Amino acid sequence: MILENVQQRDYIDTHREDSPLVKAFDAVEIDNSALSKKEQFELVMKLVKEKI
């Protein structure tokens, strides 16, 4: 039920006529579904350090 709601909201947001949501060309997409909070933090910090 929750997943369906999120998917429906995402579809509406990305297909609306006025200001549809679009991922930035330089966005970094992270699949954190199998990561702990600590692992997520460490991965994000690593990516930040690589950018700066």
mmCIF file of all heavy atoms in Angstrom:
data_model
loop_
_atom_site.group_PDB
_atom_site.id
_atom_site.type_symbol
_atom_site.label_atom_id
_atom_site.label_comp_id
_atom_site.label_asym_id
_atom_site.label_seq_id
_atom_site.Cartn_x
_atom_site.Cartn_y
_atom_site.Cartn_z
ATOM 1 N N MET A 1 0.822 -1.191 0.000
ATOM 2 C CA MET A 1 0.000 0.000 0.000
ATOM 3 C C MET A 1 0.874 1.267 0.000
ATOM 4 O O MET A 1 0.626 2.159 -0.777
ATOM 5 C CB MET A 1 -0.931 -0.044 1.222
ATOM 6 C CG MET A 1 -1.849 1.104 1.313
ATOM 7 S SD MET A 1 -3.297 0.777 0.320
ATOM 8 C CE MET A 1 -4.372 2.006 0.905
ATOM 9 N N ILE A 2 1.870 1.311 0.860
ATOM 10 C CA ILE A 2 2.738 2.488 0.922
ATOM 11 C C ILE A 2 3.522 2.639 -0.375
ATOM 12 O O ILE A 2 3.623 3.735 -0.933
ATOM 13 C CB ILE A 2 3.687 2.419 2.136
ATOM 14 C CG1 ILE A 2 2.877 2.517 3.428
ATOM 15 C CG2 ILE A 2 4.730 3.527 2.080
ATOM 16 C CD1 ILE A 2 3.670 2.308 4.690
ATOM 17 N N LEU A 3 4.092 1.526 -0.859
ATOM 18 C CA LEU A 3 4.858 1.578 -2.105
ATOM 19 C C LEU A 3 3.989 2.080 -3.257
ATOM 20 O O LEU A 3 4.422 2.917 -4.046
ATOM 21 C CB LEU A 3 5.443 0.202 -2.439
ATOM 22 C CG LEU A 3 6.216 0.110 -3.747
ATOM 23 C CD1 LEU A 3 7.388 1.082 -3.761
ATOM 24 C CD2 LEU A 3 6.703 -1.309 -3.966
ATOM 25 N N GLU A 4 2.761 1.589 -3.336
ATOM 26 C CA GLU A 4 1.856 2.045 -4.391
ATOM 27 C C GLU A 4 1.590 3.544 -4.290
ATOM 28 O O GLU A 4 1.561 4.243 -5.314
ATOM 29 C CB GLU A 4 0.529 1.285 -4.321
ATOM 30 C CG GLU A 4 0.633 -0.174 -4.689
ATOM 31 C CD GLU A 4 -0.668 -0.926 -4.445
ATOM 32 O OE1 GLU A 4 -1.713 -0.290 -4.206
ATOM 33 O OE2 GLU A 4 -0.624 -2.165 -4.490
ATOM 34 N N ASN A 5 1.406 4.041 -3.079
ATOM 35 C CA ASN A 5 1.171 5.473 -2.885
ATOM 36 C C ASN A 5 2.375 6.289 -3.329
ATOM 37 O O ASN A 5 2.225 7.322 -3.986
ATOM 38 C CB ASN A 5 0.856 5.776 -1.417
ATOM 39 C CG ASN A 5 -0.504 5.275 -0.990
ATOM 40 O OD1 ASN A 5 -1.365 5.008 -1.820
ATOM 41 N ND2 ASN A 5 -0.699 5.136 0.299
ATOM 42 N N VAL A 6 3.562 5.839 -2.978
ATOM 43 C CA VAL A 6 4.786 6.557 -3.368
ATOM 44 C C VAL A 6 4.947 6.532 -4.890
ATOM 45 O O VAL A 6 5.267 7.550 -5.505
ATOM 46 C CB VAL A 6 6.020 5.960 -2.661
ATOM 47 C CG1 VAL A 6 7.303 6.538 -3.231
ATOM 48 C CG2 VAL A 6 5.940 6.202 -1.161
ATOM 49 N N GLN A 7 4.711 5.381 -5.486
ATOM 50 C CA GLN A 7 4.840 5.270 -6.938
ATOM 51 C C GLN A 7 3.823 6.160 -7.653
ATOM 52 O O GLN A 7 4.151 6.814 -8.648
ATOM 53 C CB GLN A 7 4.681 3.819 -7.374
ATOM 54 C CG GLN A 7 5.845 2.940 -6.979
ATOM 55 C CD GLN A 7 5.600 1.464 -7.230
ATOM 56 O OE1 GLN A 7 4.469 0.982 -7.165
ATOM 57 N NE2 GLN A 7 6.674 0.742 -7.500
ATOM 58 N N GLN A 8 2.605 6.202 -7.145
ATOM 59 C CA GLN A 8 1.570 7.048 -7.741
ATOM 60 C C GLN A 8 1.939 8.525 -7.599
ATOM 61 O O GLN A 8 1.831 9.294 -8.552
ATOM 62 C CB GLN A 8 0.218 6.781 -7.095
ATOM 63 C CG GLN A 8 -0.916 7.591 -7.695
ATOM 64 C CD GLN A 8 -2.250 7.308 -7.043
ATOM 65 O OE1 GLN A 8 -2.328 6.744 -5.960
ATOM 66 N NE2 GLN A 8 -3.307 7.699 -7.705
ATOM 67 N N ARG A 9 2.414 8.922 -6.426
ATOM 68 C CA ARG A 9 2.822 10.309 -6.207
ATOM 69 C C ARG A 9 3.976 10.682 -7.126
ATOM 70 O O ARG A 9 3.982 11.756 -7.734
ATOM 71 C CB ARG A 9 3.228 10.515 -4.752
ATOM 72 C CG ARG A 9 3.573 11.974 -4.435
ATOM 73 C CD ARG A 9 4.424 12.117 -3.211
ATOM 74 N NE ARG A 9 5.707 11.453 -3.434
ATOM 75 C CZ ARG A 9 6.434 10.889 -2.487
ATOM 76 N NH1 ARG A 9 6.013 10.873 -1.238
ATOM 77 N NH2 ARG A 9 7.582 10.324 -2.764
ATOM 78 N N ASP A 10 4.974 9.781 -7.242
ATOM 79 C CA ASP A 10 6.120 10.041 -8.111
ATOM 80 C C ASP A 10 5.686 10.202 -9.567
ATOM 81 O O ASP A 10 6.185 11.070 -10.276
ATOM 82 C CB ASP A 10 7.159 8.936 -7.991
ATOM 83 C CG ASP A 10 7.905 8.967 -6.670
ATOM 84 O OD1 ASP A 10 7.767 9.960 -5.919
ATOM 85 O OD2 ASP A 10 8.626 7.997 -6.382
ATOM 86 N N TYR A 11 4.760 9.359 -10.005
ATOM 87 C CA TYR A 11 4.260 9.452 -11.378
ATOM 88 C C TYR A 11 3.574 10.801 -11.604
ATOM 89 O O TYR A 11 3.835 11.479 -12.600
ATOM 90 C CB TYR A 11 3.301 8.305 -11.693
ATOM 91 C CG TYR A 11 2.794 8.378 -13.110
ATOM 92 C CD1 TYR A 11 3.531 7.846 -14.153
ATOM 93 C CD2 TYR A 11 1.590 9.015 -13.417
ATOM 94 C CE1 TYR A 11 3.090 7.936 -15.467
ATOM 95 C CE2 TYR A 11 1.136 9.116 -14.712
ATOM 96 C CZ TYR A 11 1.894 8.574 -15.740
ATOM 97 O OH TYR A 11 1.458 8.688 -17.039
ATOM 98 N N ILE A 12 2.717 11.171 -10.683
ATOM 99 C CA ILE A 12 2.007 12.450 -10.801
ATOM 100 C C ILE A 12 2.999 13.602 -10.827
ATOM 101 O O ILE A 12 2.892 14.514 -11.659
ATOM 102 C CB ILE A 12 0.993 12.617 -9.653
ATOM 103 C CG1 ILE A 12 -0.160 11.613 -9.814
ATOM 104 C CG2 ILE A 12 0.458 14.047 -9.585
ATOM 105 C CD1 ILE A 12 -1.060 11.495 -8.593
ATOM 106 N N ASP A 13 3.970 13.577 -9.924
ATOM 107 C CA ASP A 13 4.951 14.666 -9.830
ATOM 108 C C ASP A 13 5.808 14.787 -11.081
ATOM 109 O O ASP A 13 6.192 15.888 -11.468
ATOM 110 C CB ASP A 13 5.856 14.472 -8.610
ATOM 111 C CG ASP A 13 5.138 14.732 -7.300
ATOM 112 O OD1 ASP A 13 4.033 15.310 -7.318
ATOM 113 O OD2 ASP A 13 5.693 14.351 -6.252
ATOM 114 N N THR A 14 6.143 13.685 -11.716
ATOM 115 C CA THR A 14 7.023 13.725 -12.880
ATOM 116 C C THR A 14 6.276 13.916 -14.194
ATOM 117 O O THR A 14 6.896 14.218 -15.221
ATOM 118 C CB THR A 14 7.880 12.442 -12.979
ATOM 119 O OG1 THR A 14 7.012 11.310 -13.027
ATOM 120 C CG2 THR A 14 8.833 12.332 -11.802
ATOM 121 N N HIS A 15 4.961 13.740 -14.184
ATOM 122 C CA HIS A 15 4.191 13.868 -15.417
ATOM 123 C C HIS A 15 3.248 15.066 -15.426
ATOM 124 O O HIS A 15 2.503 15.247 -16.390
ATOM 125 C CB HIS A 15 3.396 12.578 -15.678
ATOM 126 C CG HIS A 15 4.262 11.441 -16.078
ATOM 127 N ND1 HIS A 15 4.954 10.671 -15.177
ATOM 128 C CD2 HIS A 15 4.578 10.958 -17.303
ATOM 129 C CE1 HIS A 15 5.646 9.754 -15.821
ATOM 130 N NE2 HIS A 15 5.451 9.906 -17.106
ATOM 131 N N ARG A 16 3.279 15.888 -14.394
ATOM 132 C CA ARG A 16 2.391 17.048 -14.385
ATOM 133 C C ARG A 16 2.851 18.053 -15.442
ATOM 134 O O ARG A 16 4.036 18.133 -15.781
ATOM 135 C CB ARG A 16 2.327 17.677 -13.000
ATOM 136 C CG ARG A 16 3.630 18.215 -12.492
ATOM 137 C CD ARG A 16 3.483 18.756 -11.090
ATOM 138 N NE ARG A 16 4.778 19.202 -10.606
ATOM 139 C CZ ARG A 16 5.226 19.017 -9.393
ATOM 140 N NH1 ARG A 16 4.471 18.414 -8.499
ATOM 141 N NH2 ARG A 16 6.408 19.453 -9.034
ATOM 142 N N GLU A 17 1.904 18.814 -15.945
ATOM 143 C CA GLU A 17 2.188 19.759 -17.018
ATOM 144 C C GLU A 17 3.003 20.952 -16.522
ATOM 145 O O GLU A 17 3.902 21.434 -17.208
ATOM 146 C CB GLU A 17 0.872 20.248 -17.628
ATOM 147 C CG GLU A 17 1.030 20.924 -18.958
ATOM 148 C CD GLU A 17 -0.290 21.142 -19.650
ATOM 149 O OE1 GLU A 17 -1.152 20.254 -19.601
ATOM 150 O OE2 GLU A 17 -0.439 22.226 -20.237
ATOM 151 N N ASP A 18 2.701 21.429 -15.324
ATOM 152 C CA ASP A 18 3.367 22.603 -14.771
ATOM 153 C C ASP A 18 4.496 22.180 -13.839
ATOM 154 O O ASP A 18 4.256 21.561 -12.812
ATOM 155 C CB ASP A 18 2.340 23.459 -14.015
ATOM 156 C CG ASP A 18 2.915 24.777 -13.533
ATOM 157 O OD1 ASP A 18 3.863 25.280 -14.165
ATOM 158 O OD2 ASP A 18 2.407 25.298 -12.533
ATOM 159 N N SER A 19 5.713 22.492 -14.196
ATOM 160 C CA SER A 19 6.913 22.216 -13.386
ATOM 161 C C SER A 19 7.052 20.758 -12.962
ATOM 162 O O SER A 19 7.118 20.446 -11.772
ATOM 163 C CB SER A 19 6.923 23.105 -12.139
ATOM 164 O OG SER A 19 6.962 24.452 -12.468
ATOM 165 N N PRO A 20 7.125 19.853 -13.911
ATOM 166 C CA PRO A 20 7.309 18.446 -13.525
ATOM 167 C C PRO A 20 8.664 18.236 -12.857
ATOM 168 O O PRO A 20 9.637 18.907 -13.203
ATOM 169 C CB PRO A 20 7.230 17.687 -14.848
ATOM 170 C CG PRO A 20 7.610 18.696 -15.878
ATOM 171 C CD PRO A 20 7.136 20.027 -15.355
ATOM 172 N N LEU A 21 8.703 17.360 -11.899
ATOM 173 C CA LEU A 21 9.962 17.051 -11.225
ATOM 174 C C LEU A 21 10.848 16.244 -12.162
ATOM 175 O O LEU A 21 10.416 15.272 -12.765
ATOM 176 C CB LEU A 21 9.713 16.258 -9.950
ATOM 177 C CG LEU A 21 9.014 16.998 -8.821
ATOM 178 C CD1 LEU A 21 8.854 16.066 -7.623
ATOM 179 C CD2 LEU A 21 9.762 18.241 -8.416
ATOM 180 N N VAL A 22 12.092 16.673 -12.265
ATOM 181 C CA VAL A 22 13.065 16.006 -13.123
ATOM 182 C C VAL A 22 14.369 15.891 -12.341
ATOM 183 O O VAL A 22 14.798 16.838 -11.690
ATOM 184 C CB VAL A 22 13.313 16.816 -14.417
ATOM 185 C CG1 VAL A 22 14.326 16.134 -15.297
ATOM 186 C CG2 VAL A 22 12.020 17.049 -15.165
ATOM 187 N N LYS A 23 14.980 14.726 -12.408
ATOM 188 C CA LYS A 23 16.260 14.524 -11.731
ATOM 189 C C LYS A 23 17.329 15.381 -12.406
ATOM 190 O O LYS A 23 17.420 15.424 -13.630
ATOM 191 C CB LYS A 23 16.644 13.046 -11.783
ATOM 192 C CG LYS A 23 17.931 12.714 -11.048
ATOM 193 C CD LYS A 23 18.179 11.232 -10.897
ATOM 194 C CE LYS A 23 18.193 10.493 -12.180
ATOM 195 N NZ LYS A 23 18.636 9.102 -12.062
ATOM 196 N N ALA A 24 18.125 16.064 -11.603
ATOM 197 C CA ALA A 24 19.193 16.899 -12.135
ATOM 198 C C ALA A 24 20.192 16.050 -12.922
ATOM 199 O O ALA A 24 20.430 14.881 -12.595
ATOM 200 C CB ALA A 24 19.914 17.613 -10.995
ATOM 201 N N PHE A 25 20.786 16.640 -13.944
ATOM 202 C CA PHE A 25 21.710 15.887 -14.804
ATOM 203 C C PHE A 25 22.914 15.357 -14.032
ATOM 204 O O PHE A 25 23.479 14.333 -14.384
ATOM 205 C CB PHE A 25 22.182 16.756 -15.987
ATOM 206 C CG PHE A 25 23.200 17.793 -15.615
ATOM 207 C CD1 PHE A 25 24.553 17.521 -15.750
ATOM 208 C CD2 PHE A 25 22.821 19.028 -15.120
ATOM 209 C CE1 PHE A 25 25.499 18.469 -15.397
ATOM 210 C CE2 PHE A 25 23.760 19.982 -14.775
ATOM 211 C CZ PHE A 25 25.101 19.704 -14.904
ATOM 212 N N ASP A 26 23.295 16.048 -12.967
ATOM 213 C CA ASP A 26 24.467 15.627 -12.199
ATOM 214 C C ASP A 26 24.097 14.976 -10.858
ATOM 215 O O ASP A 26 24.949 14.820 -9.987
ATOM 216 C CB ASP A 26 25.407 16.805 -11.970
ATOM 217 C CG ASP A 26 24.760 17.942 -11.194
ATOM 218 O OD1 ASP A 26 23.514 17.950 -11.068
ATOM 219 O OD2 ASP A 26 25.493 18.815 -10.712
ATOM 220 N N ALA A 27 22.844 14.583 -10.736
ATOM 221 C CA ALA A 27 22.391 13.955 -9.491
ATOM 222 C C ALA A 27 23.065 12.606 -9.285
ATOM 223 O O ALA A 27 23.387 11.897 -10.239
ATOM 224 C CB ALA A 27 20.880 13.767 -9.523
ATOM 225 N N VAL A 28 23.279 12.272 -8.035
ATOM 226 C CA VAL A 28 23.830 10.967 -7.671
ATOM 227 C C VAL A 28 22.713 10.170 -7.029
ATOM 228 O O VAL A 28 22.130 10.600 -6.037
ATOM 229 C CB VAL A 28 25.013 11.123 -6.683
ATOM 230 C CG1 VAL A 28 25.527 9.762 -6.253
ATOM 231 C CG2 VAL A 28 26.125 11.952 -7.299
ATOM 232 N N GLU A 29 22.401 9.044 -7.617
ATOM 233 C CA GLU A 29 21.320 8.205 -7.104
ATOM 234 C C GLU A 29 21.931 7.081 -6.269
ATOM 235 O O GLU A 29 22.832 6.379 -6.728
ATOM 236 C CB GLU A 29 20.517 7.633 -8.273
ATOM 237 C CG GLU A 29 19.211 7.053 -7.867
ATOM 238 C CD GLU A 29 18.323 6.748 -9.056
ATOM 239 O OE1 GLU A 29 18.432 7.418 -10.112
ATOM 240 O OE2 GLU A 29 17.509 5.822 -8.933
ATOM 241 N N ILE A 30 21.416 6.929 -5.059
ATOM 242 C CA ILE A 30 21.948 5.931 -4.132
ATOM 243 C C ILE A 30 20.840 4.961 -3.751
ATOM 244 O O ILE A 30 19.776 5.382 -3.307
ATOM 245 C CB ILE A 30 22.499 6.604 -2.849
ATOM 246 C CG1 ILE A 30 23.638 7.559 -3.192
ATOM 247 C CG2 ILE A 30 22.953 5.562 -1.844
ATOM 248 C CD1 ILE A 30 24.090 8.414 -2.028
ATOM 249 N N ASP A 31 21.100 3.685 -3.926
ATOM 250 C CA ASP A 31 20.176 2.659 -3.449
ATOM 251 C C ASP A 31 20.614 2.292 -2.036
ATOM 252 O O ASP A 31 21.602 1.585 -1.842
ATOM 253 C CB ASP A 31 20.210 1.431 -4.353
ATOM 254 C CG ASP A 31 19.285 0.319 -3.887
ATOM 255 O OD1 ASP A 31 18.553 0.517 -2.878
ATOM 256 O OD2 ASP A 31 19.288 -0.753 -4.515
ATOM 257 N N ASN A 32 19.880 2.775 -1.065
ATOM 258 C CA ASN A 32 20.250 2.532 0.326
ATOM 259 C C ASN A 32 19.400 1.458 0.983
ATOM 260 O O ASN A 32 19.414 1.310 2.198
ATOM 261 C CB ASN A 32 20.175 3.839 1.130
ATOM 262 C CG ASN A 32 18.765 4.366 1.239
ATOM 263 O OD1 ASN A 32 17.863 3.930 0.533
ATOM 264 N ND2 ASN A 32 18.570 5.327 2.123
ATOM 265 N N SER A 33 18.688 0.696 0.190
ATOM 266 C CA SER A 33 17.759 -0.295 0.743
ATOM 267 C C SER A 33 18.467 -1.399 1.528
ATOM 268 O O SER A 33 17.848 -2.025 2.381
ATOM 269 C CB SER A 33 16.888 -0.901 -0.356
ATOM 270 O OG SER A 33 17.682 -1.456 -1.373
ATOM 271 N N ALA A 34 19.737 -1.630 1.262
ATOM 272 C CA ALA A 34 20.456 -2.693 1.986
ATOM 273 C C ALA A 34 21.567 -2.129 2.871
ATOM 274 O O ALA A 34 22.447 -2.866 3.300
ATOM 275 C CB ALA A 34 21.031 -3.689 0.983
ATOM 276 N N LEU A 35 21.514 -0.816 3.134
ATOM 277 C CA LEU A 35 22.560 -0.177 3.921
ATOM 278 C C LEU A 35 22.035 0.245 5.285
ATOM 279 O O LEU A 35 20.902 0.709 5.399
ATOM 280 C CB LEU A 35 23.096 1.065 3.201
ATOM 281 C CG LEU A 35 23.722 0.865 1.829
ATOM 282 C CD1 LEU A 35 24.090 2.211 1.220
ATOM 283 C CD2 LEU A 35 24.929 -0.043 1.909
ATOM 284 N N SER A 36 22.890 0.124 6.285
ATOM 285 C CA SER A 36 22.535 0.637 7.610
ATOM 286 C C SER A 36 22.651 2.158 7.576
ATOM 287 O O SER A 36 23.199 2.731 6.629
ATOM 288 C CB SER A 36 23.480 0.073 8.669
ATOM 289 O OG SER A 36 24.787 0.602 8.489
ATOM 290 N N LYS A 37 22.175 2.813 8.617
ATOM 291 C CA LYS A 37 22.303 4.274 8.677
ATOM 292 C C LYS A 37 23.776 4.685 8.652
ATOM 293 O O LYS A 37 24.148 5.653 7.990
ATOM 294 C CB LYS A 37 21.628 4.816 9.934
ATOM 295 C CG LYS A 37 20.131 4.758 9.869
ATOM 296 C CD LYS A 37 19.503 5.330 11.120
ATOM 297 C CE LYS A 37 18.000 5.208 11.052
ATOM 298 N NZ LYS A 37 17.339 5.766 12.241
ATOM 299 N N LYS A 38 24.604 3.935 9.348
ATOM 300 C CA LYS A 38 26.036 4.240 9.369
ATOM 301 C C LYS A 38 26.635 4.075 7.972
ATOM 302 O O LYS A 38 27.424 4.915 7.526
ATOM 303 C CB LYS A 38 26.753 3.345 10.375
ATOM 304 C CG LYS A 38 28.233 3.632 10.477
ATOM 305 C CD LYS A 38 28.926 2.753 11.494
ATOM 306 C CE LYS A 38 30.413 3.077 11.518
ATOM 307 N NZ LYS A 38 31.172 2.209 12.384
ATOM 308 N N GLU A 39 26.277 3.002 7.275
ATOM 309 C CA GLU A 39 26.795 2.765 5.926
ATOM 310 C C GLU A 39 26.317 3.858 4.971
ATOM 311 O O GLU A 39 27.080 4.300 4.099
ATOM 312 C CB GLU A 39 26.354 1.394 5.427
ATOM 313 C CG GLU A 39 27.023 0.248 6.149
ATOM 314 C CD GLU A 39 26.401 -1.099 5.820
ATOM 315 O OE1 GLU A 39 25.163 -1.176 5.618
ATOM 316 O OE2 GLU A 39 27.151 -2.088 5.770
ATOM 317 N N GLN A 40 25.067 4.286 5.115
ATOM 318 C CA GLN A 40 24.548 5.369 4.286
ATOM 319 C C GLN A 40 25.358 6.642 4.503
ATOM 320 O O GLN A 40 25.767 7.299 3.548
ATOM 321 C CB GLN A 40 23.080 5.649 4.621
ATOM 322 C CG GLN A 40 22.137 4.537 4.237
ATOM 323 C CD GLN A 40 20.731 4.811 4.696
ATOM 324 O OE1 GLN A 40 20.191 5.873 4.442
ATOM 325 N NE2 GLN A 40 20.124 3.853 5.381
ATOM 326 N N PHE A 41 25.577 6.979 5.761
ATOM 327 C CA PHE A 41 26.341 8.172 6.097
ATOM 328 C C PHE A 41 27.747 8.095 5.512
ATOM 329 O O PHE A 41 28.232 9.053 4.892
ATOM 330 C CB PHE A 41 26.403 8.344 7.620
ATOM 331 C CG PHE A 41 27.232 9.511 8.055
ATOM 332 C CD1 PHE A 41 26.729 10.796 7.993
ATOM 333 C CD2 PHE A 41 28.526 9.317 8.515
ATOM 334 C CE1 PHE A 41 27.500 11.881 8.387
ATOM 335 C CE2 PHE A 41 29.308 10.391 8.913
ATOM 336 C CZ PHE A 41 28.796 11.673 8.853
ATOM 337 N N GLU A 42 28.405 6.964 5.690
ATOM 338 C CA GLU A 42 29.770 6.806 5.194
ATOM 339 C C GLU A 42 29.827 6.912 3.675
ATOM 340 O O GLU A 42 30.752 7.520 3.125
ATOM 341 C CB GLU A 42 30.349 5.482 5.681
ATOM 342 C CG GLU A 42 30.626 5.475 7.180
ATOM 343 C CD GLU A 42 31.002 4.114 7.736
ATOM 344 O OE1 GLU A 42 30.884 3.098 7.016
ATOM 345 O OE2 GLU A 42 31.401 4.062 8.915
ATOM 346 N N LEU A 43 28.856 6.335 2.997
ATOM 347 C CA LEU A 43 28.821 6.403 1.538
ATOM 348 C C LEU A 43 28.619 7.845 1.079
ATOM 349 O O LEU A 43 29.323 8.320 0.177
ATOM 350 C CB LEU A 43 27.703 5.519 0.984
ATOM 351 C CG LEU A 43 27.473 5.578 -0.520
ATOM 352 C CD1 LEU A 43 28.739 5.228 -1.297
ATOM 353 C CD2 LEU A 43 26.318 4.669 -0.920
ATOM 354 N N VAL A 44 27.693 8.547 1.685
ATOM 355 C CA VAL A 44 27.445 9.937 1.309
ATOM 356 C C VAL A 44 28.673 10.796 1.585
ATOM 357 O O VAL A 44 29.062 11.632 0.761
ATOM 358 C CB VAL A 44 26.190 10.488 2.021
ATOM 359 C CG1 VAL A 44 26.070 11.985 1.827
ATOM 360 C CG2 VAL A 44 24.953 9.769 1.524
ATOM 361 N N MET A 45 29.294 10.596 2.722
ATOM 362 C CA MET A 45 30.502 11.383 3.041
ATOM 363 C C MET A 45 31.618 11.093 2.030
ATOM 364 O O MET A 45 32.349 12.001 1.629
ATOM 365 C CB MET A 45 30.973 11.091 4.475
ATOM 366 C CG MET A 45 30.048 11.656 5.529
ATOM 367 S SD MET A 45 29.726 13.432 5.352
ATOM 368 C CE MET A 45 31.358 14.098 5.589
ATOM 369 N N LYS A 46 31.757 9.846 1.633
ATOM 370 C CA LYS A 46 32.763 9.486 0.615
ATOM 371 C C LYS A 46 32.477 10.211 -0.695
ATOM 372 O O LYS A 46 33.390 10.773 -1.315
ATOM 373 C CB LYS A 46 32.745 7.970 0.402
ATOM 374 C CG LYS A 46 33.697 7.489 -0.671
ATOM 375 C CD LYS A 46 33.614 5.981 -0.833
ATOM 376 C CE LYS A 46 34.490 5.542 -1.973
ATOM 377 N NZ LYS A 46 33.774 4.902 -3.041
ATOM 378 N N LEU A 47 31.220 10.239 -1.108
ATOM 379 C CA LEU A 47 30.856 10.908 -2.343
ATOM 380 C C LEU A 47 31.096 12.423 -2.244
ATOM 381 O O LEU A 47 31.569 13.047 -3.205
ATOM 382 C CB LEU A 47 29.385 10.633 -2.684
ATOM 383 C CG LEU A 47 29.071 9.183 -3.047
ATOM 384 C CD1 LEU A 47 27.564 8.959 -3.104
ATOM 385 C CD2 LEU A 47 29.719 8.810 -4.372
ATOM 386 N N VAL A 48 30.788 12.995 -1.102
ATOM 387 C CA VAL A 48 31.019 14.424 -0.894
ATOM 388 C C VAL A 48 32.515 14.722 -0.979
ATOM 389 O O VAL A 48 32.924 15.675 -1.664
ATOM 390 C CB VAL A 48 30.453 14.888 0.468
ATOM 391 C CG1 VAL A 48 30.942 16.279 0.825
ATOM 392 C CG2 VAL A 48 28.925 14.822 0.468
ATOM 393 N N LYS A 49 33.319 13.932 -0.316
ATOM 394 C CA LYS A 49 34.762 14.157 -0.337
ATOM 395 C C LYS A 49 35.337 14.042 -1.751
ATOM 396 O O LYS A 49 36.266 14.751 -2.112
ATOM 397 C CB LYS A 49 35.472 13.194 0.615
ATOM 398 C CG LYS A 49 35.208 13.533 2.074
ATOM 399 C CD LYS A 49 35.824 12.517 2.999
ATOM 400 C CE LYS A 49 35.493 12.848 4.457
ATOM 401 N NZ LYS A 49 36.002 11.850 5.392
ATOM 402 N N GLU A 50 34.778 13.131 -2.542
ATOM 403 C CA GLU A 50 35.232 12.983 -3.924
ATOM 404 C C GLU A 50 34.885 14.219 -4.765
ATOM 405 O O GLU A 50 35.624 14.563 -5.680
ATOM 406 C CB GLU A 50 34.600 11.742 -4.566
ATOM 407 C CG GLU A 50 35.145 10.435 -4.026
ATOM 408 C CD GLU A 50 34.387 9.221 -4.541
ATOM 409 O OE1 GLU A 50 33.419 9.388 -5.336
ATOM 410 O OE2 GLU A 50 34.749 8.098 -4.172
ATOM 411 N N LYS A 51 33.779 14.875 -4.430
ATOM 412 C CA LYS A 51 33.334 16.046 -5.194
ATOM 413 C C LYS A 51 34.105 17.303 -4.804
ATOM 414 O O LYS A 51 34.235 18.203 -5.614
ATOM 415 C CB LYS A 51 31.841 16.286 -5.007
ATOM 416 C CG LYS A 51 30.970 15.229 -5.628
ATOM 417 C CD LYS A 51 30.938 15.386 -7.121
ATOM 418 C CE LYS A 51 30.011 14.362 -7.748
ATOM 419 N NZ LYS A 51 29.973 14.463 -9.194
ATOM 420 N N ILE A 52 34.568 17.358 -3.563
ATOM 421 C CA ILE A 52 35.277 18.574 -3.128
ATOM 422 C C ILE A 52 36.722 18.271 -3.069
ATOM 423 O O ILE A 52 37.640 18.615 -3.365
ATOM 424 C CB ILE A 52 34.798 19.109 -1.775
ATOM 425 C CG1 ILE A 52 34.954 18.057 -0.655
ATOM 426 C CG2 ILE A 52 33.353 19.549 -1.870
ATOM 427 C CD1 ILE A 52 34.634 18.572 0.716
#
